[in-house]
Amino acid sequence: MNSNDNSLAWSAGWATAVQRPSVGFHENWAEEGFAGQTVRQTVRVAGSGTRARIRLSNRYGTAPLEVSGASIARSGAGAAVAPGSVRPLTFDGAASVRIPAGGEVHSDAAEVSVAALESLTVSLHFAGPTGPATFHAQAWATAYRAAGAQLGEVDPAVFGETSVSWYYLAAVELADGGPVRRDAVVLFGDSLTDGFGSSVDADRRYSDALAERLAAEGRPLRVLNLGIGGNLLLNDSPWFGESAGARFERDVLAQPGVRSVVVLVGLNDIGFSEVDLPTYKPNPDNAVEQLVAGYRELIERAHAAGVRVVGGTILPFKGSEYHTPVAEAKRRAVNEWIRTAGAFDAVADFAAALADPADPEALRSAYDSGDFKHPGDEGYRVMARAVDPAAL
């Protein structure tokens, strides 16, 4: 069935924010790309469906990308897939597709039945060299690589190489024969949204915790995580993605059925200027007024699209390399504005929820992943509880 079939109304299943190839935080395959290999990637979907399609991105490619084959399946353990569930993916009826530099493509629809919060595995075969790969650096999920074409129910042991990034895969969309509902909630921001410090392959980001909470409370909205570790509100970064403002249309407003967005960004705009490291560039000394103007622009654009905006307060970070009296003063001022200005439709007071009662400039130790600025799994659960479902 072709992806352009008008009888199918596509809803959000899973999405990530793509980045230009870079070294990133962990060893990855983005700069080297792929040749004569298959990459297998597992994603947890936010909704249910009986049909699925994928969106592949060559946004940061400098040449056309040749995808020699693709498949989708219900996930097994690790690189394994559920027996009998593999479905080949086609592109306008063809088994392969050529994606122009800077472009993207949807696959045709495949028959796959999946429930909300279950996982799907996408396999991509690249017979020839791809060049550097458009990717998402911090997946907190394992990607697997094997030699040759390995799209089916192969022995998972052939996938002997691993990474914790996603490559070329930008979205999975689902259809169930019904209309598109306006039920997608986008969590948007930096590493605190992306899930830095959470357990790999455990789905313990705050987006996961929020999706589980909403499902348990009988309000199963489709929660999408569009965070990028290191992302900035005001500036593009060669390592950490285009600025929040530059990517807001693509990563938030263009999601199918989006109804609301939780914005949690600004920590790096405050902290990068306190540290002289090559990766923390650009690092201008941003005034609070500049950050406020950046938030106001996002709010105006969301409201123009009929999307509600929840503002997240910036978490404490005392003890980290970012923390100075100047940075702390900015954090306090920005959070006071978020809480009191009335510019956002609602506020998620993450800072208050995770602060150490004995020292509000610091994360509570039980919630700290160990670097004094990122939560661990329990901290991300607390963040999810700080979001009012009625605000979404």
Side-chain angles (χ1 to χ4, degrees):
M1 185 181 295
N2 191 282
S3 62
N4 296 320
D5 189 331
N6 291 328
S7 68
L8 294 179
W10 293 101
S11 297
W14 170 88
T16 195
V18 296
Q19 302 167 244
R20 63 183 70 252
S22 70
V23 175
F25 289 94
H26 310 283
E27 184 176 346
N28 66 67
W29 307 317
E31 293 187 323
E32 66 183 273
F34 308 96
Q37 295 164 321
T38 298
V39 180
R40 180 164 281 186
Q41 307 174 82
T42 297
V43 300
R44 190 192 205 197
V45 298
S48 61
T50 56
R51 299 287 191 279
R53 70 177 184 179
I54 64 172
R55 176 162 53 89
L56 299 178
S57 175
N58 191 29
R59 180 175 180 82
Y60 300 108
T62 57
L65 172 68
E66 302 283 349
V67 182
S68 307
S71 67
I72 192 167
R74 293 171 59 86
S75 301
V81 295
S85 71
V86 176
R87 303 288 182 267
L89 290 170
T90 57
F91 303 86
D92 286 329
S96 61
V97 67
R98 189 173 192 261
I99 308 174
E104 62 178 29
V105 67
H106 281 96
S107 74
D108 301 331
E111 293 188 15
V112 179
S113 291
V114 64
L117 306 184
E118 290 184 341
S119 294
L120 293 173
T121 294
V122 175
S123 301
L124 304 173
H125 174 225
F126 306 101
T130 64
T134 296
F135 84 136
H136 180 86
Q138 295 179 277
W140 305 105
T142 302
Y144 303 87
R145 184 166 70 175
Q150 310 288 356
L151 297 177
E153 293 172 39
V154 296
D155 180 353
V158 305
F159 289 91
E161 297 177 275
T162 63
S163 160
V164 287
S165 301
W166 286 306
Y167 304 90
Y168 296 119
L169 184 63
V172 175
E173 296 176 0
L174 303 172
D176 61 7
V180 172
R181 293 172 289 277
R182 203 164 182 200
D183 60 356
V185 177
V186 177
L187 307 188
F188 182 71
D190 52 33
S191 55
L192 297 166
T193 297
D194 211 6
F196 189 102
S198 65
S199 297
V200 174
D201 293 330
D203 296 316
R204 298 287 172 82
R205 314 163 192 86
Y206 108 84
S207 53
D208 296 297
L210 180 60
E212 291 165 3
R213 177 192 173 193
L214 293 172
E217 295 178 1
R219 201 158 187 263
L221 298 175
R222 298 169 185 257
V223 179
L224 305 177
N225 188 323
L226 276 296
I228 296 179
N231 202 220
L232 297 160
L233 175 62
L234 302 177
N235 290 98
D236 296 346
S237 165
W239 281 47
F240 307 130
E242 295 172 53
S243 72
R247 67 188 186 90
F248 193 68
E249 173 69 33
R250 177 178 75 250
D251 288 346
V252 177
L253 302 183
Q255 298 297 336
V258 61
R259 60 184 286 140
S260 58
V261 56
V262 182
V263 174
L264 176 57
V265 68
L267 170 66
N268 299 312
D269 298 77
I270 292 171
F272 278 8
S273 60
E274 306 302 307
V275 184
D276 187 18
L277 286 176
T279 54
Y280 290 176
K281 299 292 183 351
N283 61 343
D285 186 1
N286 297 298
V288 170
E289 292 75 17
Q290 291 172 287
L291 293 168
V292 166
Y295 295 129
R296 286 194 182 278
E297 180 189 344
L298 297 185
I299 293 166
E300 289 170 6
R301 291 167 64 188
H303 285 170
V307 173
R308 288 178 56 81
V309 194
V310 179
T313 54
I314 299 173
L315 270 61
F317 53 93
K318 185 177 180 179
S320 77
E321 76 278 21
Y322 286 3
H323 196 263
T324 66
V326 169
E328 179 60 31
K330 288 181 182 178
R331 184 186 76 91
R332 286 175 175 265
V334 167
N335 283 351
E336 181 66 14
W337 179 83
I338 291 171
R339 291 176 179 126
T340 64
F344 289 100
D345 297 303
V347 173
D349 202 342
F350 300 125
L354 275 76
D356 185 340
D359 185 358
E361 293 184 12
L363 284 175
R364 189 169 183 167
S365 60
Y367 303 150
D368 183 6
S369 67
D371 69 358
F372 304 104
K373 65 179 185 286
H374 293 101
D377 293 350
E378 181 57 31
Y380 285 124
R381 281 191 286 270
V382 173
M383 284 181 63
R385 292 200 292 271
V387 179
D388 180 2
L392 303 175

